[in-house]
Amino acid sequence: MGKHDRKKMPFKHLISFEKLLSKYDEHLRGDDPFLAATAERILAVEKGFPELRNGFSDFTLLEKHKELIERILQDTFTEALSGNEIKVATLPYQDIIIKSSKRFQNIINEAGEGYEPEIRNVGDDLDYIMSCVVVLNYYYGYQLDFSRPYFYDIPDANGVMRHYRILYNADFIDIIPTDKAKEITQEDVDELLANPNDAALWMEKIPPESFISKGFVIANLFDVTMEQAISNIKSKLISKDTLQPVKFMNDLQETFKSFFRLPNIKVGFASFDAKKEQFEEVAGIGFESFLLRGKHAVDCKQALCVDSYTKLIDYNSYFTIADMDRMVQQSGDVQPYKGLQDQGVQSAIFAPIAYEGNLLGVLEIVSQKKGVLNGVNAQKLDDVLPFIVSAVVRAKNEDNNRIDAIIQNECTSVHSSVYWRFQEEAKRFMLDETEGRSPSFKEIVFKDVYPLFGQIDIKDSSHARNLAIQRDLMIQLSEIDAVLNIALKKWNLPIYEELIFRVNNHLDSIKEMLYTNSEQAIFDFVQDEISPVFEHLKKSDKEIESHILAYEAKIDMGTGSYYDHRKNYDESVTQINKTLSAVIDKRQESAQAMFPHYYERYKTDGVEHNMYIGSSISESKEYNPLYLNNLRLWQLQVMCEMENAHYSLKPKLPVPLDAASLILVYNTSLSIRFRMDEKQFDVDGTYNARYEVIKKRIDKSYIKGTEQRLTQKGVLSIVYSQKKDELEYLRYIKFLKSKGYFTDKIEIVELEGLQGVSGLKAIRAQILYKREQEPEKTYTYQDLMDALKD
């Protein structure tokens, strides 16, 4: 009996029949001679055994007094009902059996030799607390709701798990305090109710064994296997446990076994694609499908016969096979069910998962025994199918949402700082829709925002690209020339001589410089005239074939041309873009934390970024001009860090490309509007368009009165038009110079007028490169202010 002692409880249990026997005392004195006679017979049993009334905690006495107890409880367990009622005399929340009905004994015997039933979920702190609530109600007179269902889970003879709900009849039990019991005030109760999970507190107020529960309870058990299975199926389908597909599948299989009361059934599922008229596997959930037989998809007409196809797909009704061998015999030449028979399936139910008349999938329940699944027990599925349907609909919706999220994320991402505004608009759109107004997604505009623009551009990228193309074409033409010379030596045909002459002409034309149309002209010449000749030569001679195959091995499949120097160039650009983007994207996280602002970045030949900051972008935080100053200072630091990242990367690049950086300072606030057609933000209005013009042309500008371009490698150029901005940025540069970002070399220059824009100036500050990247530290506007005070 050791397992019964393991639990600390507020009760010390005494088994006693006093309350029951005192009822018989009353009957003995009563007017009903029949009841009095029964009472006399039962009361005669307890004579000489005072412990039956006074109570005993030595559970070995149960065996000793077995016959006496049987006689005392004879009326309570009526023989006439014993075969049907599942009933046990026991102690509350304990697994002790004082007496039980025949049906309960049969259930225990079926479960297997030595099986001892245990109450589900017993033994946790919650049971102590629940028992305390009983004390508060029955002894202290509070009225707290403590209904908590208790269950026995007992397997039947076939190994199928059956579930029994326990309802206690507590007429024959008393709760008596011991000297350990404490006084309980309303304040104590309030404290306990405020801490419903704090077992230590409950133990302090109502200590272990501070009460005696004297008597016994009668537990009436009800077979709720069916309801429990339905509930389990519901909760399995609702739960997020589908993240562990194997566990989810195994649990569901077990639940269906209980539901059908059949130990050897299996469950499968196939999704239905109406457009392609095929069944498909459901990925990632652990379901196998017997119709699919391990394939990813199967045409419906191959998996089903006409009758079953009509039932499932056209009428959304069950299709059952009670005898698979007979079904296969009757199918004639077309054998859609042979596959099921080969898998050992002898009877099966196929249930349609349909929503609003559209088939979403098929639930497959199969057995290796003939006749156990049939048209009759298929009807049981009516109770659970609605839950399965809603789970499948939910899963499909979640998939669609995930798809939408991926598309948005990958293709038209809305930046997190402005996402709230899109959500607001989407909610309004949905409201319009539900209230029957014609919904339209209104344009999203943010007014009075200050722009920041920066770029790190790969210097002379078009020259480097042309150089790479030129070198690749020259190697390709030289190789073609070598092959044609071997052919001319062998066969001395004038056509080879003429082709050699044309190849050399092309070589001469690109030796000095690559013209815009040269690449296309050479490509066409090779495709139209050289390739057919090479195909012919490959068949003519083994030696020349090996030369041509060696030439073809160096040709890139994608471009149809040599792709060696260009590959090095492309790889270098990709690496630069990747490295620079990673720096600014990582540093953006800390900038957003300072104050939310819109941020977007593009990879071109280099990396450029736009930022917009202002009160309209922040959903809740109050804007102050200080945040703009802070972001400007942050941008300067990050541009220097990106330059340093490029400086460290350059020696490792296949083509060591240079970069030059630029910041545009714009003093006026503007509006940005989300363009639905292009799925991106644009500055709004004619006046604001000036900003876009400057941004696009600025990196091509020259210093006034010279042939020198504004942007130079190793220098950060800061373009502005107002004296106020000049002073602000000189202050930042001086501060960052003290932190090791810039050298002493700083100059101010005027720019040549751009088309329609004049009066621009620039500060050019030489960047101090560090061989080893120091750990990043952002200096804020406050740090600058503190430094100025010193």
Side-chain angles (χ1 to χ4, degrees):
M1 283 292 170
K3 72 170 186 168
H4 303 303
D5 307 330
R6 68 171 185 252
K7 288 170 63 179
K8 269 190 185 171
M9 285 304 250
F11 303 123
K12 184 176 188 325
H13 290 291
L14 277 183
I15 297 176
S16 154
F17 301 98
E18 184 172 18
K19 279 191 98 171
L20 178 63
L21 292 170
S22 56
K23 272 210 177 335
Y24 287 121
D25 290 340
E26 283 170 27
H27 290 169
L28 197 58
R29 295 190 296 272
D31 300 336
D32 188 323
F34 178 76
L35 286 178
T38 310
E40 192 174 357
R41 198 176 66 245
I42 287 171
L43 289 167
V45 172
E46 53 124 5
K47 291 278 188 294
F49 299 102
E51 64 266 36
L52 293 177
R53 274 194 195 249
N54 299 340
F56 56 89
S57 56
D58 177 1
F59 296 152
T60 58
L61 292 177
L62 284 174
E63 194 55 43
K64 188 180 166 193
H65 295 326
K66 194 171 181 204
E67 279 184 34
L68 299 176
I69 292 167
E70 291 272 333
R71 300 277 290 284
I72 291 171
L73 295 173
Q74 197 174 1
D75 257 13
T76 321
F77 285 75
T78 314
E79 186 61 33
L81 302 176
S82 189
N84 192 354
E85 285 188 337
I86 317 171
K87 200 167 172 183
V88 188
T90 178
L91 294 179
Y93 318 127
Q94 297 284 319
D95 299 319
I96 285 178
I97 295 167
I98 299 169
K99 176 175 168 61
S100 57
S101 67
K102 281 202 180 74
R103 184 163 171 207
F104 181 81
Q105 286 157 19
N106 292 342
I107 288 169
I108 299 298
N109 294 340
E110 271 194 18
E113 206 177 322
Y115 182 85
E116 284 195 48
E118 281 194 33
I119 300 172
R120 186 199 304 171
N121 294 342
V122 141
D124 51 9
D125 289 343
L126 190 57
D127 276 313
Y128 192 97
I129 291 164
M130 280 297 166
S131 300
C132 288
V133 174
V134 174
V135 170
L136 289 173
N137 283 357
Y138 286 93
Y139 181 73
Y140 292 104
Y142 291 94
Q143 290 183 331
L144 306 174
D145 182 1
F146 71 105
S147 50
R148 178 190 183 201
Y150 283 93
F151 296 92
Y152 277 129
D153 303 320
I154 306 172
D156 69 9
N158 296 320
V160 172
M161 190 57 80
R162 307 294 287 271
H163 308 285
Y164 301 92
R165 173 139 188 205
I166 305 166
L167 287 181
Y168 286 115
N169 175 342
D171 287 352
F172 306 113
I173 199 154
D174 258 332
I175 292 174
I176 306 154
T178 69
D179 52 4
K180 290 184 189 171
K182 296 182 174 181
E183 198 183 322
I184 298 276
T185 64
Q186 183 64 49
E187 259 174 58
D188 291 327
V189 175
D190 293 343
E191 191 184 345
L192 289 170
L193 295 180
N195 298 282
N197 301 315
D198 185 348
L201 178 71
W202 287 78
M203 279 185 187
E204 184 203 318
K205 303 284 185 198
I206 303 174
E209 300 197 347
S210 56
F211 285 83
I212 293 169
S213 82
K214 184 182 173 189
F216 68 97
V217 291
I218 291 175
N220 289 287
L221 274 62
F222 299 91
D223 187 335
V224 291
T225 304
M226 187 69 151
E227 292 81 351
Q228 187 78 27
I230 292 171
S231 167
N232 282 354
I233 289 170
K234 256 187 347 196
S235 55
K236 291 267 171 299
L237 295 169
I238 291 164
S239 84
K240 291 288 177 200
D241 226 12
T242 38
L243 299 173
Q244 301 165 294
V246 178
K247 182 182 183 309
F248 173 76
M249 247 340 281
N250 290 342
D251 288 355
L252 209 59
Q253 299 271 14
E254 287 307 311
T255 307
F256 267 100
K257 285 176 187 176
S258 293
F259 180 68
F260 276 102
R261 302 182 184 182
L262 295 168
N264 298 315
I265 57 170
K266 286 184 178 170
V267 181
F269 185 79
S271 182
F272 175 66
D273 185 331
K275 288 179 196 158
K276 295 180 184 167
E277 285 228 332
Q278 64 181 25
F279 292 124
E280 298 172 348
E281 71 170 343
V282 183
I285 201 171
F287 266 109
E288 51 181 313
S289 164
F290 301 94
L291 287 171
L292 292 178
R293 297 177 67 200
K295 294 180 186 160
H296 292 304
V298 168
D299 186 289
C300 294
K301 298 263 168 55
Q302 287 174 350
L304 301 169
C305 67
V306 179
D307 181 31
S308 54
Y309 181 89
T310 311
K311 269 190 170 177
L312 275 173
I313 294 172
D314 295 343
Y315 294 118
N316 300 156
S317 60
Y318 301 128
F319 174 69
T320 55
I321 301 169
D323 183 343
M324 185 63 74
D325 294 345
R326 193 155 157 243
M327 189 74 169
V328 169
Q329 276 171 4
Q330 288 173 349
S331 293
D333 299 339
V334 184
Q335 285 288 358
Y337 302 113
K338 187 84 179 73
L340 289 167
Q341 190 187 37
D342 293 346
Q343 294 173 76
V345 174
Q346 283 298 314
S347 61
I349 300 170
F350 298 107
I353 309 297
Y355 183 65
E356 294 179 349
N358 300 317
L359 187 71
L360 305 174
V362 174
L363 181 71
E364 313 159 350
I365 298 155
V366 302
S367 170
Q368 294 182 332
K369 285 189 175 173
K370 209 169 277 191
V372 297
L373 293 167
N374 50 59
V376 176
N377 59 8
Q379 304 305 318
K380 291 175 68 152
L381 283 169
D382 287 352
D383 294 327
V384 290
L385 229 51
F387 307 119
I388 298 174
V389 169
S390 64
V392 172
V393 168
R394 195 188 79 222
K396 291 226 174 200
N397 287 341
E398 279 177 7
D399 273 357
N400 291 338
N401 291 344
R402 216 169 290 129
I403 289 162
D404 290 346
I406 290 165
I407 292 169
Q408 172 171 331
N409 202 22
E410 298 300 319
C411 313
T412 57
S413 182
V414 172
H415 189 252
S416 56
S417 63
V418 293
Y419 196 68
W420 64 273
R421 188 62 195 82
F422 283 80
Q423 281 180 314
E424 270 184 6
E425 193 50 40
K427 281 178 193 163
R428 195 197 53 74
F429 183 94
M430 281 157 67
L431 190 68
D432 279 359
E433 209 167 29
T434 50
E435 291 179 359
R437 295 188 287 273
S438 57
S440 65
F441 204 92
K442 292 199 177 77
E443 280 191 317
I444 286 169
V445 179
F446 293 102
K447 293 186 171 159
D448 282 333
V449 293
Y450 288 87
L452 292 93
F453 170 73
Q455 68 171 41
I456 294 193
D457 207 20
I458 293 170
K459 285 287 286 171
D460 305 322
S461 58
S462 48
H463 173 70
R465 188 190 287 109
N466 283 347
L467 202 62
I469 294 168
Q470 181 186 8
R471 283 176 182 163
D472 280 344
L473 287 175
M474 286 175 77
I475 295 167
Q476 186 174 4
L477 289 168
S478 305
E479 298 245 349
I480 292 169
D481 182 60
V483 173
L484 289 172
N485 271 305
I486 296 167
L488 183 64
K489 269 199 190 101
K490 280 203 173 199
W491 291 290
N492 199 19
L493 294 175
I495 184 70
Y496 298 139
E497 206 171 348
E498 192 264 344
L499 282 172
I500 290 166
F501 172 73
R502 288 169 66 194
V503 166
N504 283 304
N505 268 353
H506 279 301
L507 256 171
D508 289 340
S509 75
I510 60 166
K511 238 177 207 147
E512 297 306 318
M513 189 182 161
L514 185 74
Y515 293 98
T516 324
N517 59 349
S518 304
E519 186 184 3
Q520 190 59 48
I522 293 168
F523 179 78
D524 291 344
F525 166 65
V526 172
Q527 286 292 99
D528 300 343
E529 313 213 20
I530 300 296
S531 294
V533 171
F534 276 15
E535 282 307 310
H536 162 72
L537 286 172
K538 271 200 285 193
K539 294 170 194 154
S540 312
D541 181 86
K542 274 276 174 252
E543 185 208 348
I544 208 159
E545 184 190 21
S546 67
H547 282 287
I548 293 170
L549 288 174
Y551 157 78
E552 284 176 347
K554 296 173 192 165
I555 295 289
D556 177 63
M557 295 304 289
T559 57
S561 310
Y562 253 50
Y563 184 59
D564 184 26
H565 289 83
R566 238 175 318 172
K567 185 174 177 223
N568 289 340
Y569 168 81
D570 288 346
E571 264 179 27
S572 302
V573 170
T574 305
Q575 275 193 50
I576 291 171
N577 284 348
K578 206 169 156 189
T579 305
L580 297 184
S581 300
V583 172
I584 191 165
D585 286 354
K586 178 79 187 78
R587 303 291 271 112
Q588 245 297 299
E589 292 167 20
S590 60
Q592 285 296 340
M594 296 173 195
F595 190 84
H597 57 278
Y598 182 75
Y599 160 77
E600 59 187 0
R601 131 186 97 57
Y602 304 102
K603 290 178 191 168
T604 48
D605 279 352
V607 172
E608 57 182 64
H609 65 269
N610 287 311
M611 294 186 292
Y612 299 99
I613 189 168
S615 58
S616 59
I617 283 176
S618 168
E619 186 179 7
S620 49
K621 209 169 174 182
E622 198 168 317
Y623 175 74
N624 185 298
L626 171 90
Y627 293 119
L628 172 62
N629 302 131
N630 201 48
L631 196 58
R632 284 176 167 182
L633 182 58
W634 174 89
Q635 185 187 30
L636 270 181
Q637 292 171 70
V638 172
M639 291 296 279
C640 290
E641 278 168 30
M642 289 164 82
E643 275 274 7
N644 266 292
H646 172 257
Y647 182 74
S648 304
L649 177 70
K650 187 179 160 184
K652 304 169 197 162
L653 293 171
V655 180
L657 297 164
D658 286 319
S661 42
L662 165 83
I663 285 174
L664 172 61
V665 182
Y666 201 71
N667 205 287
T668 323
S669 69
L670 39 80
S671 296
I672 55 171
R673 178 187 295 268
F674 186 77
R675 295 264 306 267
M676 298 303 276
D677 48 351
E678 290 175 26
K679 299 281 179 282
Q680 66 179 49
F681 277 99
D682 241 342
V683 294
D684 190 29
T686 336
Y687 172 71
N688 295 332
R690 178 173 181 267
Y691 172 70
E692 288 293 332
V693 172
I694 299 172
K695 218 164 69 174
K696 287 199 172 57
R697 296 178 184 164
I698 196 165
D699 63 331
K700 306 285 185 289
S701 58
Y702 288 89
I703 290 174
K704 202 168 194 173
T706 71
E707 292 296 306
Q708 193 192 15
R709 286 281 283 271
L710 164 68
T711 52
Q712 299 290 322
K713 73 169 181 174
V715 169
L716 175 55
S717 304
I718 301 154
V719 178
Y720 59 93
S721 60
Q722 308 278 332
K723 185 71 178 169
K724 187 171 129 217
D725 296 329
E726 180 183 296
L727 295 172
E728 183 182 343
Y729 273 86
L730 285 172
R731 212 168 65 208
Y732 296 157
I733 290 164
K734 185 180 174 190
F735 171 65
L736 291 176
K737 193 173 74 176
S738 74
K739 304 292 179 192
Y741 282 83
F742 296 107
T743 70
D744 287 334
K745 199 173 171 198
I746 293 160
E747 59 176 339
I748 293 173
V749 293
E750 273 188 66
L751 304 190
E752 282 288 357
L754 298 168
Q755 211 174 336
V757 179
S758 58
L760 292 180
K761 292 171 86 176
I763 300 169
R764 295 207 296 184
Q766 192 178 52
I767 294 155
L768 179 64
Y769 292 109
K770 310 175 191 77
R771 265 284 165 222
E772 286 305 313
Q773 281 291 97
E774 289 172 18
E776 61 188 38
K777 169 162 175 38
T778 306
Y779 294 102
T780 65
Y781 192 68
Q782 193 53 51
D783 295 330
L784 168 69
M785 288 305 169
D786 295 344
L788 291 177
K789 277 182 213 155
D790 294 344

